[in-house]
Amino acid sequence: MVDMSKVQLRIENIVASVDLFTDLNLEKVIEICPSSKYNPEEFPGIICRFNDPKVALLIFSSGKLVVTGAKSVQDIERAVRKLIEMLKKIGAKFTREPQIDIQNMVFSGDIGMEFNLDAVALILPNCEYEPEQFPGVIYRVKEPRAVILLFSSGKIVCSGAKSEQDAWEAVKKLLRELEKYGLIEEEEEW
């Protein structure tokens, strides 16, 4: 049985795509977005930064957005509501609720034990390890889809998950595999 009691995960970043279902005049939008940048020759959208919640938004004339930098789904929802209120002031019309789709969540964490990465890379399937190029094992979980970077200290980075539940499930699958192949040493009872 996999012991998840020592595992810690913390959200570092969430990326979401958003559809506002309305066209936007970016020349007007740039006037109301504080801390923003717009150079259509370089990039076809506005890069807008909010301090509360602390996120960056890529705003396109199609009414589609990319929101990044959020630490929670609620931060994304708050940022979208805040932007909609700003856009209403310049005459943007909204006929339906925005559609928010989480594209990627990145977590940092700790499994609570150390690993011999050479042994892990030799025995564990679905992993890559090139210590000359990167100091961690790259482990790919098929379902739920995620990639976990495992370091010898037991620290991990999990990316590609679409929810916090998916991240926990991916880490649980990694631990099951490590246990199955005898890569987790049982703690001695005193």
Side-chain angles (χ1 to χ4, degrees):
M1 190 67 181
V2 174
D3 179 12
M4 295 287 288
S5 65
K6 294 179 185 171
V7 177
Q8 300 169 5
L9 284 180
R10 185 177 76 227
I11 296 172
E12 295 295 337
N13 184 29
I14 302 175
V15 178
S17 59
V18 181
D19 194 341
L20 298 177
F21 301 105
T22 190
D23 290 334
L24 299 173
N25 178 337
L26 294 186
E27 297 297 333
K28 282 186 177 179
V29 174
I30 192 71
E31 295 172 11
I32 60 157
C33 270
S35 304
S36 58
K37 180 181 160 192
Y38 181 48
N39 184 345
E41 291 83 37
E42 265 182 41
F43 184 73
I46 294 173
I47 302 167
C48 178
R49 297 186 194 292
F50 287 166
N51 285 325
D52 184 29
K54 193 163 177 57
V55 298
L57 302 97
L58 305 178
I59 306 168
F60 300 96
S61 60
S62 63
K64 295 198 175 115
L65 318 171
V66 174
V67 183
T68 186
K71 300 281 188 188
S72 70
V73 173
Q74 292 78 13
D75 282 353
I76 291 171
E77 292 166 347
R78 281 185 32 223
V80 170
R81 281 195 304 273
K82 183 176 181 175
L83 180 65
I84 287 172
E85 290 308 309
M86 293 166 64
L87 293 171
K88 284 179 180 175
K89 293 177 182 170
I90 59 166
K93 302 280 187 242
F94 300 93
T95 56
R96 59 189 275 200
E97 287 294 308
Q99 179 179 326
I100 300 172
D101 293 311
I102 303 301
Q103 299 299 323
N104 183 22
M105 296 181 81
V106 179
F107 297 81
S108 63
D110 194 337
I111 290 181
M113 61 190 90
E114 294 184 356
F115 293 92
N116 175 338
L117 295 184
D118 291 318
V120 170
L122 281 172
I123 299 169
L124 191 67
N126 300 321
C127 74
E128 300 168 35
Y129 184 47
E130 301 277 342
E132 304 82 28
Q133 295 179 5
F134 186 72
V137 166
I138 301 167
Y139 180 73
R140 297 181 193 287
V141 181
K142 288 186 173 77
E143 190 60 41
R145 246 180 105 140
V147 175
I148 300 174
L149 308 177
L150 173 65
F151 299 93
S152 60
S153 63
K155 301 270 192 248
I156 59 171
V157 174
C158 176
S159 67
K162 302 258 184 179
S163 69
E164 193 165 354
Q165 181 181 340
D166 284 355
W168 281 101
E169 186 60 34
V171 171
K172 187 186 281 185
K173 284 189 174 183
L174 169 63
L175 287 175
R176 273 194 207 120
E177 289 290 291
L178 291 168
E179 190 176 78
K180 174 179 162 183
Y181 290 102
L183 295 163
I184 294 178
E185 295 176 16
E186 297 295 319
E187 291 185 20
E188 291 182 25
E189 297 286 327
W190 292 97

